[in-house]
Short mmCIF file of all heavy atoms in Angstrom, two decimals:
data_model
loop_
_atom_site.label_atom_id
_atom_site.label_comp_id
_atom_site.label_asym_id
_atom_site.label_seq_id
_atom_site.Cartn_x
_atom_site.Cartn_y
_atom_site.Cartn_z
N PRO A 1 0.83 -1.23 0.05
CA PRO A 1 0.09 0.02 -0.04
C PRO A 1 0.82 1.21 0.06
O PRO A 1 1.96 1.27 0.45
CB PRO A 1 -0.83 -0.13 1.28
CG PRO A 1 -0.86 -1.59 1.63
CD PRO A 1 0.41 -2.09 1.08
N MET A 2 0.31 2.33 -0.48
CA MET A 2 1.00 3.58 -0.63
C MET A 2 1.54 4.10 0.73
O MET A 2 2.55 4.75 0.78
CB MET A 2 0.03 4.57 -1.29
CG MET A 2 0.72 5.89 -1.79
SD MET A 2 1.89 5.22 -2.99
CE MET A 2 1.61 6.55 -4.16
N ILE A 3 0.80 3.83 1.78
CA ILE A 3 1.16 4.38 3.13
C ILE A 3 2.55 3.79 3.49
O ILE A 3 3.26 4.50 4.42
CB ILE A 3 0.15 4.12 4.17
CG1 ILE A 3 -0.09 2.66 4.34
CG2 ILE A 3 -1.09 4.86 3.93
CD1 ILE A 3 -1.08 2.31 5.52
N TYR A 4 2.99 2.81 2.98
CA TYR A 4 4.21 2.13 3.42
C TYR A 4 5.46 2.66 2.46
O TYR A 4 6.58 2.32 2.65
CB TYR A 4 4.22 0.68 3.42
CG TYR A 4 3.21 0.22 4.47
CD1 TYR A 4 2.07 -0.61 4.10
CD2 TYR A 4 3.26 0.56 5.74
CE1 TYR A 4 1.15 -1.08 5.00
CE2 TYR A 4 2.27 0.22 6.69
CZ TYR A 4 1.27 -0.60 6.26
OH TYR A 4 0.40 -1.10 7.15
N LYS A 5 5.10 3.43 1.29
CA LYS A 5 6.14 3.72 0.42
C LYS A 5 7.29 4.58 1.06
O LYS A 5 8.34 4.33 0.76
CB LYS A 5 5.52 4.45 -0.76
CG LYS A 5 4.54 3.64 -1.62
CD LYS A 5 5.22 2.65 -2.43
CE LYS A 5 4.27 1.81 -3.17
NZ LYS A 5 4.77 0.48 -3.69
N GLU A 6 6.87 5.46 1.95
CA GLU A 6 7.87 6.28 2.67
C GLU A 6 8.70 5.46 3.42
O GLU A 6 10.01 5.59 3.49
CB GLU A 6 7.19 7.43 3.49
CG GLU A 6 8.15 8.27 4.13
CD GLU A 6 7.60 9.32 5.01
OE1 GLU A 6 6.54 9.94 4.56
OE2 GLU A 6 8.12 9.59 6.06
N LEU A 7 8.14 4.50 4.24
CA LEU A 7 8.98 3.59 5.10
C LEU A 7 9.90 2.76 4.19
O LEU A 7 11.06 2.63 4.55
CB LEU A 7 8.05 2.75 5.85
CG LEU A 7 8.78 1.54 6.72
CD1 LEU A 7 9.81 2.12 7.69
CD2 LEU A 7 7.67 0.73 7.39
N PHE A 8 9.37 2.17 3.20
CA PHE A 8 10.28 1.42 2.31
C PHE A 8 11.33 2.23 1.65
O PHE A 8 12.43 1.75 1.61
CB PHE A 8 9.33 0.73 1.15
CG PHE A 8 8.40 -0.25 1.62
CD1 PHE A 8 7.39 -0.72 0.69
CD2 PHE A 8 8.33 -0.81 2.93
CE1 PHE A 8 6.36 -1.72 1.15
CE2 PHE A 8 7.43 -1.73 3.34
CZ PHE A 8 6.48 -2.14 2.49
N ALA A 9 11.03 3.40 1.28
CA ALA A 9 12.12 4.24 0.67
C ALA A 9 13.23 4.53 1.65
O ALA A 9 14.38 4.46 1.34
CB ALA A 9 11.48 5.59 0.22
N ARG A 10 12.84 4.92 2.90
CA ARG A 10 13.80 5.19 4.00
C ARG A 10 14.63 3.84 4.20
O ARG A 10 15.86 3.87 4.38
CB ARG A 10 13.12 5.63 5.27
CG ARG A 10 12.69 7.00 5.19
CD ARG A 10 12.21 7.52 6.52
NE ARG A 10 10.96 6.86 6.94
CZ ARG A 10 10.76 6.29 8.09
NH1 ARG A 10 11.71 6.23 9.09
NH2 ARG A 10 9.64 5.62 8.40
N ALA A 11 13.92 2.67 4.20
CA ALA A 11 14.63 1.42 4.53
C ALA A 11 15.63 1.11 3.37
O ALA A 11 16.74 0.71 3.63
CB ALA A 11 13.60 0.38 4.66
N TYR A 12 15.13 1.32 2.02
CA TYR A 12 16.03 1.01 0.98
C TYR A 12 17.33 1.91 0.99
O TYR A 12 18.44 1.46 0.69
CB TYR A 12 15.37 1.18 -0.36
CG TYR A 12 14.25 0.23 -0.57
CD1 TYR A 12 12.97 0.58 -1.05
CD2 TYR A 12 14.49 -1.25 -0.48
CE1 TYR A 12 12.01 -0.32 -1.36
CE2 TYR A 12 13.47 -2.14 -0.73
CZ TYR A 12 12.21 -1.73 -1.21
OH TYR A 12 11.32 -2.60 -1.48
N GLN A 13 17.09 3.24 1.38
CA GLN A 13 18.23 4.13 1.44
C GLN A 13 19.14 3.75 2.69
O GLN A 13 20.25 4.29 2.70
CB GLN A 13 17.70 5.51 1.58
CG GLN A 13 16.98 5.99 0.39
CD GLN A 13 16.25 7.41 0.67
OE1 GLN A 13 16.15 7.84 1.85
NE2 GLN A 13 15.73 8.02 -0.32
N ASN A 14 18.64 3.06 3.56
CA ASN A 14 19.44 2.77 4.85
C ASN A 14 19.66 1.29 5.05
O ASN A 14 19.71 0.80 6.17
CB ASN A 14 18.74 3.33 6.05
CG ASN A 14 18.73 4.92 5.99
OD1 ASN A 14 19.75 5.54 6.20
ND2 ASN A 14 17.57 5.48 5.68
N LEU A 15 19.82 0.58 3.97
CA LEU A 15 19.97 -0.91 4.18
C LEU A 15 21.20 -1.20 4.94
O LEU A 15 21.22 -2.17 5.75
CB LEU A 15 20.00 -1.70 2.74
CG LEU A 15 18.74 -1.89 2.02
CD1 LEU A 15 18.91 -2.39 0.63
CD2 LEU A 15 17.76 -2.74 2.86
N GLU A 16 22.37 -0.50 4.65
CA GLU A 16 23.57 -0.81 5.44
C GLU A 16 23.31 -0.52 6.92
O GLU A 16 23.86 -1.27 7.80
CB GLU A 16 24.64 0.08 4.85
CG GLU A 16 25.20 -0.48 3.48
CD GLU A 16 25.50 -1.94 3.41
OE1 GLU A 16 26.24 -2.47 4.35
OE2 GLU A 16 24.94 -2.71 2.54
N ALA A 17 22.69 0.53 7.19
CA ALA A 17 22.34 0.90 8.65
C ALA A 17 21.51 -0.26 9.25
O ALA A 17 21.77 -0.71 10.37
CB ALA A 17 21.63 2.20 8.79
N ILE A 18 20.59 -0.85 8.54
CA ILE A 18 19.81 -1.91 9.07
C ILE A 18 20.70 -3.14 9.27
O ILE A 18 20.56 -3.77 10.34
CB ILE A 18 18.56 -2.19 8.05
CG1 ILE A 18 17.63 -1.06 8.05
CG2 ILE A 18 17.92 -3.51 8.53
CD1 ILE A 18 16.57 -1.07 7.03
N LYS A 19 21.51 -3.47 8.26
CA LYS A 19 22.36 -4.66 8.38
C LYS A 19 23.42 -4.48 9.43
O LYS A 19 23.72 -5.45 10.15
CB LYS A 19 23.05 -4.90 7.05
CG LYS A 19 22.07 -5.48 5.96
CD LYS A 19 22.87 -6.00 4.72
CE LYS A 19 23.13 -4.90 3.80
NZ LYS A 19 23.71 -5.25 2.66
N GLN A 20 23.90 -3.25 9.69
CA GLN A 20 24.93 -2.99 10.77
C GLN A 20 24.31 -2.80 12.05
O GLN A 20 25.03 -2.52 13.00
CB GLN A 20 25.79 -1.84 10.28
CG GLN A 20 26.62 -2.23 9.05
CD GLN A 20 27.35 -0.96 8.48
OE1 GLN A 20 27.47 0.01 9.15
NE2 GLN A 20 27.94 -1.13 7.42
N GLU A 21 22.93 -2.71 12.10
CA GLU A 21 22.27 -2.52 13.37
C GLU A 21 22.63 -1.21 14.18
O GLU A 21 22.79 -1.21 15.31
CB GLU A 21 22.36 -3.71 14.32
CG GLU A 21 21.87 -5.01 13.66
CD GLU A 21 21.79 -6.22 14.46
OE1 GLU A 21 21.49 -6.03 15.67
OE2 GLU A 21 22.13 -7.28 14.06
N THR A 22 22.74 -0.12 13.33
CA THR A 22 22.87 1.21 13.97
C THR A 22 21.60 1.57 14.61
O THR A 22 20.53 0.92 14.35
CB THR A 22 23.15 2.21 12.86
OG1 THR A 22 22.11 2.35 11.95
CG2 THR A 22 24.44 1.95 12.02
N PRO A 23 21.58 2.55 15.52
CA PRO A 23 20.16 2.96 16.07
C PRO A 23 19.06 3.32 15.04
O PRO A 23 18.03 2.80 15.18
CB PRO A 23 20.61 4.24 16.93
CG PRO A 23 21.98 3.88 17.20
CD PRO A 23 22.69 3.24 16.06
N GLU A 24 19.51 3.97 13.99
CA GLU A 24 18.52 4.33 12.97
C GLU A 24 18.06 2.94 12.27
O GLU A 24 16.94 2.78 11.98
CB GLU A 24 19.06 5.29 11.89
CG GLU A 24 18.06 5.53 10.85
CD GLU A 24 18.71 6.51 9.75
OE1 GLU A 24 20.01 6.65 9.77
OE2 GLU A 24 17.97 7.15 8.98
N GLY A 25 19.05 2.13 12.02
CA GLY A 25 18.73 0.84 11.41
C GLY A 25 17.82 -0.05 12.14
O GLY A 25 16.83 -0.67 11.65
N ILE A 26 18.07 -0.03 13.44
CA ILE A 26 17.29 -0.89 14.40
C ILE A 26 15.88 -0.30 14.39
O ILE A 26 14.88 -1.06 14.43
CB ILE A 26 17.86 -0.82 15.80
CG1 ILE A 26 19.17 -1.70 15.79
CG2 ILE A 26 16.86 -1.41 16.77
CD1 ILE A 26 19.99 -1.59 17.05
N ALA A 27 15.75 1.03 14.45
CA ALA A 27 14.40 1.66 14.45
C ALA A 27 13.55 1.28 13.19
O ALA A 27 12.35 0.92 13.25
CB ALA A 27 14.41 3.16 14.70
N LEU A 28 14.30 1.33 11.99
CA LEU A 28 13.65 1.05 10.77
C LEU A 28 13.23 -0.44 10.72
O LEU A 28 12.16 -0.83 10.20
CB LEU A 28 14.52 1.31 9.52
CG LEU A 28 14.69 2.74 9.25
CD1 LEU A 28 15.80 3.01 8.19
CD2 LEU A 28 13.34 3.41 8.45
N TRP A 29 14.12 -1.23 11.20
CA TRP A 29 13.87 -2.75 11.17
C TRP A 29 12.65 -3.05 12.01
O TRP A 29 11.81 -3.82 11.65
CB TRP A 29 15.11 -3.49 11.70
CG TRP A 29 14.96 -4.88 11.75
CD1 TRP A 29 14.85 -5.76 12.88
CD2 TRP A 29 14.87 -5.92 10.72
NE1 TRP A 29 14.73 -7.06 12.50
CE2 TRP A 29 14.72 -7.16 11.20
CE3 TRP A 29 14.95 -5.58 9.31
CZ2 TRP A 29 14.57 -8.19 10.25
CZ3 TRP A 29 14.86 -6.69 8.42
CH2 TRP A 29 14.68 -8.01 8.96
N LYS A 30 12.54 -2.46 13.14
CA LYS A 30 11.38 -2.64 14.06
C LYS A 30 10.12 -2.32 13.29
O LYS A 30 9.01 -2.94 13.46
CB LYS A 30 11.49 -1.93 15.32
CG LYS A 30 12.50 -2.54 16.36
CD LYS A 30 12.61 -1.75 17.62
CE LYS A 30 13.66 -2.34 18.50
NZ LYS A 30 13.74 -1.63 19.81
N GLU A 31 10.08 -1.11 12.54
CA GLU A 31 8.96 -0.81 11.80
C GLU A 31 8.58 -1.75 10.72
O GLU A 31 7.44 -2.08 10.57
CB GLU A 31 9.16 0.65 11.19
CG GLU A 31 9.22 1.72 12.10
CD GLU A 31 9.25 3.16 11.34
OE1 GLU A 31 8.30 3.51 10.63
OE2 GLU A 31 10.27 3.81 11.46
N LEU A 32 9.57 -2.35 9.99
CA LEU A 32 9.37 -3.27 8.97
C LEU A 32 8.83 -4.62 9.61
O LEU A 32 7.91 -5.10 9.06
CB LEU A 32 10.71 -3.56 8.25
CG LEU A 32 11.17 -2.51 7.38
CD1 LEU A 32 12.61 -2.72 6.79
CD2 LEU A 32 10.26 -2.22 6.07
N VAL A 33 9.42 -5.01 10.67
CA VAL A 33 8.92 -6.26 11.35
C VAL A 33 7.52 -6.15 11.86
O VAL A 33 6.80 -7.17 11.87
CB VAL A 33 9.95 -6.67 12.43
CG1 VAL A 33 9.40 -7.88 13.25
CG2 VAL A 33 11.32 -7.05 11.86
N ALA A 34 7.04 -4.96 12.20
CA ALA A 34 5.75 -4.79 12.75
C ALA A 34 4.67 -4.77 11.75
O ALA A 34 3.44 -4.87 12.07
CB ALA A 34 5.68 -3.42 13.57
N LEU A 35 5.07 -4.68 10.45
CA LEU A 35 4.02 -4.61 9.41
C LEU A 35 3.43 -6.00 9.20
O LEU A 35 4.03 -6.99 9.57
CB LEU A 35 4.72 -4.28 8.00
CG LEU A 35 5.31 -2.84 7.97
CD1 LEU A 35 6.00 -2.70 6.54
CD2 LEU A 35 4.28 -1.81 8.09
N HIS A 36 2.22 -5.97 8.65
CA HIS A 36 1.58 -7.26 8.26
C HIS A 36 2.56 -7.88 7.26
O HIS A 36 2.99 -7.17 6.37
CB HIS A 36 0.23 -6.90 7.67
CG HIS A 36 -0.54 -8.25 7.40
ND1 HIS A 36 -0.42 -8.89 6.30
CD2 HIS A 36 -1.50 -8.82 8.20
CE1 HIS A 36 -1.10 -10.02 6.36
NE2 HIS A 36 -1.85 -10.02 7.45
N THR A 37 2.57 -9.15 7.26
CA THR A 37 3.54 -9.88 6.25
C THR A 37 3.11 -9.69 4.84
O THR A 37 4.05 -9.62 4.06
CB THR A 37 3.52 -11.38 6.61
OG1 THR A 37 2.25 -11.98 6.62
CG2 THR A 37 4.20 -11.59 7.99
N ALA A 38 1.89 -9.41 4.53
CA ALA A 38 1.58 -9.12 3.13
C ALA A 38 2.14 -7.80 2.70
O ALA A 38 2.61 -7.64 1.52
CB ALA A 38 0.01 -9.00 2.94
N ASP A 39 2.25 -6.77 3.51
CA ASP A 39 2.85 -5.58 3.29
C ASP A 39 4.38 -5.70 3.29
O ASP A 39 5.00 -5.07 2.36
CB ASP A 39 2.39 -4.48 4.32
CG ASP A 39 0.84 -4.27 4.26
OD1 ASP A 39 0.41 -4.24 3.09
OD2 ASP A 39 0.34 -4.17 5.32
N SER A 40 5.03 -6.34 4.23
CA SER A 40 6.47 -6.41 4.28
C SER A 40 6.98 -7.19 3.14
O SER A 40 8.13 -7.04 2.68
CB SER A 40 6.93 -6.83 5.62
OG SER A 40 6.36 -7.98 5.97
N ALA A 41 6.00 -8.10 2.58
CA ALA A 41 6.55 -8.97 1.45
C ALA A 41 6.79 -8.06 0.25
O ALA A 41 7.81 -8.40 -0.45
CB ALA A 41 5.40 -10.00 1.15
N GLU A 42 6.17 -7.02 0.10
CA GLU A 42 6.39 -6.10 -0.91
C GLU A 42 7.91 -5.53 -0.82
O GLU A 42 8.60 -5.41 -1.79
CB GLU A 42 5.47 -4.98 -0.93
CG GLU A 42 5.60 -3.93 -2.13
CD GLU A 42 4.66 -2.83 -2.10
OE1 GLU A 42 3.55 -2.90 -1.43
OE2 GLU A 42 4.89 -1.80 -2.72
N PHE A 43 8.27 -5.15 0.34
CA PHE A 43 9.53 -4.65 0.60
C PHE A 43 10.66 -5.70 0.29
O PHE A 43 11.54 -5.36 -0.34
CB PHE A 43 9.67 -4.17 2.12
CG PHE A 43 11.13 -3.92 2.56
CD1 PHE A 43 11.66 -2.64 2.13
CD2 PHE A 43 11.96 -4.83 3.27
CE1 PHE A 43 12.97 -2.32 2.50
CE2 PHE A 43 13.13 -4.43 3.55
CZ PHE A 43 13.68 -3.20 3.23
N PHE A 44 10.44 -6.88 0.83
CA PHE A 44 11.45 -7.90 0.68
C PHE A 44 11.54 -8.45 -0.76
O PHE A 44 12.72 -8.74 -1.29
CB PHE A 44 11.08 -9.14 1.63
CG PHE A 44 11.59 -8.85 3.06
CD1 PHE A 44 10.70 -8.34 3.89
CD2 PHE A 44 12.84 -9.05 3.36
CE1 PHE A 44 11.09 -8.06 5.22
CE2 PHE A 44 13.35 -8.87 4.67
CZ PHE A 44 12.38 -8.32 5.63
N SER A 45 10.36 -8.31 -1.55
CA SER A 45 10.52 -8.69 -3.05
C SER A 45 11.30 -7.79 -3.81
O SER A 45 11.75 -8.15 -4.86
CB SER A 45 9.07 -8.80 -3.52
OG SER A 45 8.45 -7.64 -3.62
N GLU A 46 11.61 -6.58 -3.28
CA GLU A 46 12.36 -5.61 -4.17
C GLU A 46 13.87 -5.59 -3.78
O GLU A 46 14.69 -4.96 -4.38
CB GLU A 46 11.76 -4.28 -3.89
CG GLU A 46 10.37 -4.01 -4.36
CD GLU A 46 10.23 -4.23 -5.86
OE1 GLU A 46 11.13 -3.83 -6.63
OE2 GLU A 46 9.18 -4.80 -6.36
N LEU A 47 14.23 -6.42 -2.79
CA LEU A 47 15.63 -6.50 -2.44
C LEU A 47 16.50 -7.31 -3.51
O LEU A 47 16.00 -8.17 -3.97
CB LEU A 47 15.74 -7.09 -0.99
CG LEU A 47 15.22 -6.24 0.12
CD1 LEU A 47 15.29 -7.10 1.47
CD2 LEU A 47 15.87 -4.90 0.25
N SER A 48 17.77 -6.97 -3.44
CA SER A 48 18.74 -7.82 -4.18
C SER A 48 18.82 -9.22 -3.43
O SER A 48 18.51 -9.27 -2.22
CB SER A 48 20.10 -7.20 -4.22
OG SER A 48 20.72 -7.20 -2.96
N SER A 49 19.22 -10.22 -4.13
CA SER A 49 19.33 -11.49 -3.52
C SER A 49 20.33 -11.56 -2.26
O SER A 49 19.96 -12.16 -1.26
CB SER A 49 19.70 -12.63 -4.52
OG SER A 49 20.99 -12.33 -5.02
N ARG A 50 21.35 -10.76 -2.34
CA ARG A 50 22.27 -10.59 -1.32
C ARG A 50 21.58 -9.93 -0.07
O ARG A 50 21.74 -10.44 1.01
CB ARG A 50 23.52 -9.78 -1.74
CG ARG A 50 24.60 -9.87 -0.69
CD ARG A 50 25.88 -8.97 -1.28
NE ARG A 50 25.51 -7.59 -1.48
CZ ARG A 50 25.89 -6.59 -0.75
NH1 ARG A 50 26.61 -6.85 0.29
NH2 ARG A 50 25.48 -5.34 -0.95
N ASP A 51 20.92 -8.77 -0.32
CA ASP A 51 20.24 -8.21 0.81
C ASP A 51 19.12 -8.96 1.33
O ASP A 51 18.85 -9.04 2.54
CB ASP A 51 19.75 -6.72 0.34
CG ASP A 51 20.83 -5.79 0.08
OD1 ASP A 51 21.99 -5.96 0.76
OD2 ASP A 51 20.69 -4.87 -0.62
N LEU A 52 18.43 -9.64 0.49
CA LEU A 52 17.36 -10.52 0.83
C LEU A 52 17.86 -11.60 1.90
O LEU A 52 17.27 -11.79 2.98
CB LEU A 52 16.64 -11.15 -0.33
CG LEU A 52 15.45 -12.02 0.02
CD1 LEU A 52 14.38 -11.37 0.76
CD2 LEU A 52 14.96 -12.74 -1.31
N GLN A 53 18.91 -12.17 1.46
CA GLN A 53 19.36 -13.29 2.32
C GLN A 53 19.88 -12.70 3.68
O GLN A 53 19.60 -13.43 4.69
CB GLN A 53 20.65 -13.99 1.62
CG GLN A 53 20.20 -14.83 0.47
CD GLN A 53 21.48 -15.53 -0.20
OE1 GLN A 53 22.51 -14.81 -0.27
NE2 GLN A 53 21.34 -16.72 -0.68
N ALA A 54 20.51 -11.65 3.75
CA ALA A 54 20.99 -10.97 4.95
C ALA A 54 19.82 -10.62 5.95
O ALA A 54 19.91 -10.82 7.04
CB ALA A 54 21.84 -9.79 4.60
N LEU A 55 18.86 -10.07 5.35
CA LEU A 55 17.71 -9.55 6.09
C LEU A 55 16.64 -10.56 6.44
O LEU A 55 16.11 -10.73 7.61
CB LEU A 55 17.10 -8.36 5.55
CG LEU A 55 18.05 -7.08 5.41
CD1 LEU A 55 17.32 -5.99 4.81
CD2 LEU A 55 18.58 -6.74 6.78
N PHE A 56 16.36 -11.45 5.50
CA PHE A 56 15.27 -12.44 5.74
C PHE A 56 15.56 -13.37 6.77
O PHE A 56 14.81 -13.71 7.66
CB PHE A 56 15.02 -13.22 4.38
CG PHE A 56 13.78 -14.05 4.45
CD1 PHE A 56 12.48 -13.39 4.20
CD2 PHE A 56 13.77 -15.34 4.63
CE1 PHE A 56 11.35 -14.17 4.23
CE2 PHE A 56 12.63 -16.09 4.64
CZ PHE A 56 11.41 -15.51 4.41
N ALA A 57 16.81 -13.71 6.98
CA ALA A 57 17.30 -14.57 7.97
C ALA A 57 17.17 -13.97 9.39
O ALA A 57 17.04 -14.80 10.35
CB ALA A 57 18.75 -15.08 7.72
N ARG A 58 17.06 -12.77 9.48
CA ARG A 58 16.93 -12.08 10.80
C ARG A 58 15.44 -11.96 11.19
O ARG A 58 15.17 -11.60 12.36
CB ARG A 58 17.57 -10.65 10.71
CG ARG A 58 18.99 -10.69 10.65
CD ARG A 58 19.65 -9.42 10.50
NE ARG A 58 19.07 -8.38 11.38
CZ ARG A 58 19.31 -7.02 11.22
NH1 ARG A 58 19.94 -6.59 10.29
NH2 ARG A 58 18.65 -6.17 12.08
N LEU A 59 14.54 -12.17 10.36
CA LEU A 59 13.11 -12.10 10.73
C LEU A 59 12.70 -13.26 11.62
O LEU A 59 13.25 -14.38 11.61
CB LEU A 59 12.28 -12.23 9.40
CG LEU A 59 12.22 -11.06 8.54
CD1 LEU A 59 11.60 -11.54 7.21
CD2 LEU A 59 11.53 -9.91 9.09
N PRO A 60 11.70 -12.98 12.52
CA PRO A 60 11.17 -14.07 13.39
C PRO A 60 10.58 -15.06 12.41
O PRO A 60 10.06 -14.73 11.25
CB PRO A 60 10.14 -13.33 14.10
CG PRO A 60 10.50 -11.91 14.19
CD PRO A 60 11.21 -11.69 12.89
N LEU A 61 10.60 -16.34 12.82
CA LEU A 61 10.09 -17.49 12.02
C LEU A 61 8.70 -17.18 11.45
O LEU A 61 8.41 -17.40 10.29
CB LEU A 61 10.22 -18.71 12.72
CG LEU A 61 9.67 -19.95 11.90
CD1 LEU A 61 10.53 -20.20 10.70
CD2 LEU A 61 9.69 -21.20 12.86
N LEU A 62 7.83 -16.65 12.22
CA LEU A 62 6.37 -16.39 11.73
C LEU A 62 6.32 -15.35 10.61
O LEU A 62 5.49 -15.52 9.69
CB LEU A 62 5.46 -16.07 12.86
CG LEU A 62 5.13 -17.23 13.86
CD1 LEU A 62 4.26 -16.72 14.97
CD2 LEU A 62 4.39 -18.30 13.19
N ASN A 63 7.19 -14.40 10.77
CA ASN A 63 7.30 -13.34 9.65
C ASN A 63 7.82 -14.01 8.44
O ASN A 63 7.35 -13.80 7.35
CB ASN A 63 8.22 -12.19 10.11
CG ASN A 63 7.60 -11.35 11.23
OD1 ASN A 63 7.34 -11.92 12.26
ND2 ASN A 63 7.37 -10.11 10.95
N GLN A 64 8.83 -14.87 8.55
CA GLN A 64 9.43 -15.55 7.41
C GLN A 64 8.37 -16.39 6.73
O GLN A 64 8.25 -16.28 5.47
CB GLN A 64 10.50 -16.50 7.78
CG GLN A 64 11.74 -15.76 8.22
CD GLN A 64 12.90 -16.69 8.67
OE1 GLN A 64 12.78 -17.89 8.66
NE2 GLN A 64 14.03 -16.10 8.98
N VAL A 65 7.61 -17.05 7.31
CA VAL A 65 6.48 -17.97 6.78
C VAL A 65 5.44 -17.13 6.18
O VAL A 65 5.09 -17.38 5.00
CB VAL A 65 5.88 -18.88 7.83
CG1 VAL A 65 4.67 -19.62 7.31
CG2 VAL A 65 6.95 -19.89 8.42
N GLY A 66 5.00 -16.03 6.80
CA GLY A 66 4.06 -15.13 6.17
C GLY A 66 4.49 -14.53 4.99
O GLY A 66 3.74 -14.42 3.99
N ILE A 67 5.70 -13.97 5.02
CA ILE A 67 6.21 -13.33 3.87
C ILE A 67 6.39 -14.18 2.73
O ILE A 67 6.03 -14.00 1.58
CB ILE A 67 7.56 -12.53 4.30
CG1 ILE A 67 7.28 -11.31 5.08
CG2 ILE A 67 8.35 -12.14 2.99
CD1 ILE A 67 8.54 -10.80 5.67
N PHE A 68 6.96 -15.42 2.95
CA PHE A 68 7.17 -16.40 1.88
C PHE A 68 5.90 -16.82 1.31
O PHE A 68 5.78 -16.93 0.11
CB PHE A 68 7.89 -17.63 2.50
CG PHE A 68 8.33 -18.67 1.52
CD1 PHE A 68 9.32 -18.52 0.67
CD2 PHE A 68 7.43 -19.80 1.33
CE1 PHE A 68 9.59 -19.36 -0.32
CE2 PHE A 68 7.73 -20.73 0.42
CZ PHE A 68 8.75 -20.52 -0.53
N SER A 69 4.88 -16.97 2.02
CA SER A 69 3.51 -17.36 1.53
C SER A 69 2.98 -16.26 0.60
O SER A 69 2.30 -16.64 -0.40
CB SER A 69 2.55 -17.73 2.59
OG SER A 69 2.12 -16.50 3.29
N HIS A 70 3.19 -15.00 0.89
CA HIS A 70 2.75 -13.89 -0.06
C HIS A 70 3.60 -13.67 -1.22
O HIS A 70 3.15 -13.52 -2.32
CB HIS A 70 2.73 -12.61 0.78
CG HIS A 70 1.66 -12.57 1.82
ND1 HIS A 70 0.38 -12.47 1.48
CD2 HIS A 70 1.76 -12.65 3.18
CE1 HIS A 70 -0.40 -12.57 2.58
NE2 HIS A 70 0.42 -12.62 3.63
N VAL A 71 4.95 -13.98 -1.12
CA VAL A 71 5.80 -13.83 -2.22
C VAL A 71 5.68 -14.92 -3.22
O VAL A 71 5.82 -14.86 -4.45
CB VAL A 71 7.37 -13.70 -1.78
CG1 VAL A 71 8.26 -13.73 -3.01
CG2 VAL A 71 7.48 -12.39 -0.93
N SER A 72 5.46 -16.21 -2.71
CA SER A 72 5.36 -17.32 -3.62
C SER A 72 4.01 -17.60 -4.28
O SER A 72 3.77 -18.47 -4.91
CB SER A 72 5.68 -18.53 -2.75
OG SER A 72 4.81 -18.85 -1.70
N GLU A 73 3.10 -16.57 -3.95
CA GLU A 73 1.69 -16.82 -4.55
C GLU A 73 1.74 -16.49 -6.09
O GLU A 73 2.51 -15.88 -6.57
CB GLU A 73 0.72 -15.84 -3.95
CG GLU A 73 0.40 -16.18 -2.55
CD GLU A 73 -0.60 -15.24 -1.87
OE1 GLU A 73 -0.79 -14.09 -2.32
OE2 GLU A 73 -1.23 -15.63 -0.85
#
């Protein structure tokens, strides 16, 4: 949805901060993890395979399952 475009844009611009777990990266990560998996699936589907592997593995298992089910539809 459009309401998440700003969050996604900030997250894409700060992928290194998220991966390195800086304070800003942690805050963005918490926002992403709090989204419904259908919405966060959109974010994860736009990542490079390298970034996807790095970040997807950090998700809680239930988020992984939910996101995977939406991306694989």
Side-chain angles (χ1 to χ4, degrees):
M2 196 60 139
I3 59 174
Y4 301 122
K5 295 294 181 193
E6 182 183 320
L7 170 60
F8 293 168
R10 285 188 293 128
Y12 292 133
Q13 291 171 353
N14 293 286
L15 283 175
E16 288 307 311
I18 293 171
K19 289 191 275 186
Q20 294 173 11
E21 299 186 41
T22 67
E24 181 182 19
I26 291 169
L28 284 168
W29 182 250
K30 287 180 180 180
E31 287 186 67
L32 290 168
V33 171
L35 295 176
H36 186 280
T37 55
D39 299 318
S40 55
E42 182 180 341
F43 171 79
F44 282 93
S45 69
E46 298 296 322
L47 294 175
S48 69
S49 59
R50 186 178 65 103
D51 290 333
L52 177 61
Q53 287 178 324
L55 296 179
F56 192 80
R58 290 178 43 197
L59 286 168
L61 181 59
L62 289 177
N63 291 61
Q64 290 180 357
V65 172
I67 290 169
F68 183 79
S69 71
H70 290 289
V71 172
S72 62
E73 289 178 343

